[in-house]
Amino acid sequence: DLHLLSRRQRQMCIRDRKEGVNTVVASDEAGNTAEYTFNYDAVAPTREYSNIMVNGDDSTKHEFYAKIGDKLWVSIGVKEELAHNPTFTLINNGTEYVMEDSLVTVRQSAENRWDYSVRYLIPEDTTFVDGEIELKVSNIEDKAGNKREDVKGPTNGHKVFFDTTAPEKLNLGIARNIDNGDTRDQRY
């Protein structure tokens, strides 16, 4: 409780604080002392990564194509635990689809990073239209109340496209190039 400290001690405490754990020893006129420890955090959460992709696809790809029944995996990793789950929003053709908070899962990684993610199943009655599905993560606040700006897009360049258009019928055929002795069927 800083109100128990003298004005001079409070000023020293405020001036000498550093990011992280701080300890203050207070004493009164009779020589009694008390030690107070507190955590000082004035830095907004730092994004380590953000990502969007089709769940189960090869993450080394940069473009993903989703359809009804696919699961989208969206995530953000930050350097500290957040005060609450961030808000995940998918954007398709200018329409925002805010993900329910109950879909957010959180885990602490071995690298001491906090990973927040959503797996979203594209339903039969989706109002998505063919085109890109973009990611926005907002409401990112640490336990000390420091907020960061919204995160728009993945850090790795991934793009997801919603695609319900069937491929066009192509004229296909099979031929052999017997002039050079090749007897394998060639598709064209």
Side-chain angles (χ1 to χ4, degrees):
D1 290 330
L2 291 177
H3 71 277
L4 298 175
L5 303 175
S6 71
R7 180 184 169 122
R8 183 174 164 276
Q9 289 170 321
R10 281 193 304 267
Q11 289 172 340
M12 287 176 50
C13 173
I14 292 168
R15 185 183 63 232
D16 295 337
R17 71 180 181 266
K18 66 183 187 311
E19 189 76 20
V21 177
N22 290 266
T23 301
V24 175
V25 178
S27 60
D28 61 17
E29 298 285 330
N32 301 309
T33 61
E35 187 173 283
Y36 301 95
T37 301
F38 62 95
N39 189 35
Y40 178 69
D41 179 359
V43 177
T46 303
R47 171 179 63 166
E48 292 281 300
Y49 74 89
S50 56
N51 194 12
I52 182 171
M53 62 181 284
V54 175
N55 194 46
D57 274 4
D58 178 2
S59 65
T60 62
K61 295 180 356 183
H62 288 285
E63 287 189 0
F64 301 89
Y65 294 88
K67 61 189 178 310
I68 292 171
D70 283 347
K71 280 188 178 179
L72 300 180
W73 182 73
V74 294
S75 61
I76 186 169
V78 292
K79 287 189 174 186
E80 62 185 302
E81 185 177 10
L82 300 177
H84 46 75
N85 291 337
T87 302
F88 288 89
T89 304
L90 300 176
I91 304 166
N92 173 251
N93 196 35
T95 302
E96 293 192 356
Y97 301 86
V98 178
M99 302 291 97
E100 294 178 23
D101 187 65
S102 63
L103 295 176
V104 179
T105 59
V106 61
R107 71 177 184 86
Q108 187 176 14
S109 71
E111 300 86 19
N112 204 30
R113 179 184 65 229
W114 291 86
D115 298 316
Y116 296 81
S117 63
V118 168
R119 283 180 177 77
Y120 174 71
L121 176 66
I122 302 173
E124 286 284 332
D125 62 349
T126 187
T127 56
F128 284 169
V129 297
D130 282 9
E132 188 171 358
I133 301 171
E134 299 171 281
L135 169 65
K136 178 174 80 172
V137 186
S138 57
N139 202 18
I140 305 167
E141 179 181 1
D142 67 17
K143 289 187 167 196
N146 301 306
K147 297 178 182 180
R148 69 160 289 135
E149 70 280 354
D150 293 352
V151 168
K152 295 181 181 171
T155 53
N156 57 8
H158 283 180
K159 290 183 180 264
V160 173
F161 297 93
F162 186 67
D163 183 4
T164 59
T165 305
E168 292 182 22
K169 180 181 171 186
L170 301 175
N171 293 326
L172 300 175
I174 299 176
R176 284 198 177 137
N177 185 356
I178 55 174
D179 290 343
N180 66 4
D182 187 356
T183 59
R184 293 176 295 151
D185 289 340
Q186 304 293 317
R187 298 175 191 264
Y188 65 92

